[in-house]
Amino acid sequence: MNKSIFIFCLFFYSKILFSQNEVYNYARKIVDTMASESMHGRGYVNSGDKIAANYIKTEFEKFGLKTFNNNYYQHFNFDINTFPNTPYLSTDYISINWFPAENYLVSATSPPIKKLKNLEIVWCDSTTICSENNFKHFQKQKFKNKWIIIDKKGIVDKEILKTLEYIKTNPYKAHGIGVIQENKLTWTCSQNVSSFPTIELLVNDSTRKLIDKTKKCYVAYQAESKFIPNYQSQNVIGYVQGSIYPDSFFVFSAHYDHLGQMGENIYFPGANDNASGCAMLLNLAKYYSKPENKPKYSILFIAFGAEEVGLVGSKYFTENPLVPLNKIKFVLNMDIMGTGEEGITVVNGSIFKNEFDKLKQINTDNNYIKEIKIRGKAANSDHYYFSEKGVKAFFIYTMGGIKAYHDIYDKAETLPLNEFENLFKLITKFSESLQN
Ligand SMILES: [Zn+2]
């Protein structure tokens, strides 16, 4: 082959390859960026939420999405408990080095605690809780200046809640509670502060066997949380005008916030939850903003804030909608889009059965995803307040693959995005079928 023909072929081939992988490549870039340290876990320490919102806004601008009131942001406020300072924990009942978010978690509701030392441990395990006599003995103790550790092994959740309630309302207040978990640590966000510090401790079975609960043992602890009342965050909203029905709206949504930081150096990347959903949202915005893909309905692209805090951003939007809610024909909310080995689940699928059947038919005809599971109503993501207000809404999440969730292991490096392009095709075909 002549050299110039070879170069031409190479160029042509790489062009084809690029267009095939364009959706994936762009998704990869978004997940890598949004789950990186520079976004601080997209929470409320170091303004992670604002950095993430600005990133999405910049992408919206690139695609030329239209704004409402000349602004991509819709602001709202809420209270939030944050952890800007690195917590500290040491115990002498076993020689474990405690690392925040790795083998222990400060509960999201924890009040600020400065340097507590020499707090005696009171054990509470299945032998305490499952025998009436033992529990009576436990109740007679004075907990003042003590730290109670509940070992969950062999105790049902209902009993644990009852015990926690008892401990918290006991007049001889303990200084704090530790709860031993076996499997994994799962963090969260809180708008409230408890009067009581609670920590979760990850201890496996073989380590647990080494604990001598008869020995007098102590805890030292520090976690300076910072409660911020009335924090201002934002939804990021843009739209593409419809070619035939500009006053009818189709909504794509995904929350961009995550859990933020626990101390100065530890952040929760939230690659699957929900940088992956943002990657789908931005891919859709990029696609529908091209003149050749102009939709029939107007399409709203909403990156919701403060989902992890309790669906705060989406609730605010449904109470202060930028278009009349009765003009919204359908909402497709995407949260956790990074795997898919076992297919996807559609929340509200059994409520909007016609639309679910349509989605399923498109998938069967084109063989995109292994399985589409149906689910009923659930208040587990940003679709919720829409369907509560009578707007048809689905929430789609992927299943299978990596199990990291609300922990420091939900990272970009290990997120496969293996069904991402198929999902993109399924979603665009579905949205187009609803606009006919
Ligand atoms: Zn989420």
Side-chain angles (χ1 to χ4, degrees), residues 255 273-274 307-308 335:
H255 76 85
D273 184 9
N274 187 28
E307 191 265 359
E308 305 287 8
D335 191 353

Side-chain angles (χ1 to χ4, degrees), residues 2 16 49 70 100 115 134 156 208 217 256 302 307 325 381:
N2 152 324
I16 296 173
D49 70 313
N70 237 336
K115 276 183 208 141
N134 290 352
V156 294
R208 176 194 275 110
C217 294
Y256 69 83
I302 312 181
E307 191 265 359
L325 288 183
S381 191

Side-chain angles (χ1 to χ4, degrees), residues 66-121:
K66 292 180 182 297
T67 56
F68 292 97
N69 316 316
N70 237 336
N71 194 351
Y72 284 117
Y73 286 171
Q74 181 185 42
H75 290 288
F76 55 88
N77 296 69
F78 55 95
D79 298 343
I80 186 76
N81 198 29
T82 66
F83 296 85
N85 304 303
T86 305
Y88 170 81
L89 174 70
S90 82
T91 55
D92 64 353
Y93 63 80
I94 192 159
S95 66
I96 289 180
N97 289 321
W98 295 104
F99 299 104
E102 226 169 273
N103 57 6
Y104 83 99
L105 282 182
V106 177
S107 121
T109 57
S110 285
I113 300 291
K114 251 191 182 169
K115 276 183 208 141
L116 286 174
K117 283 193 284 191
N118 301 324
L119 299 172
E120 195 186 323
I121 293 173

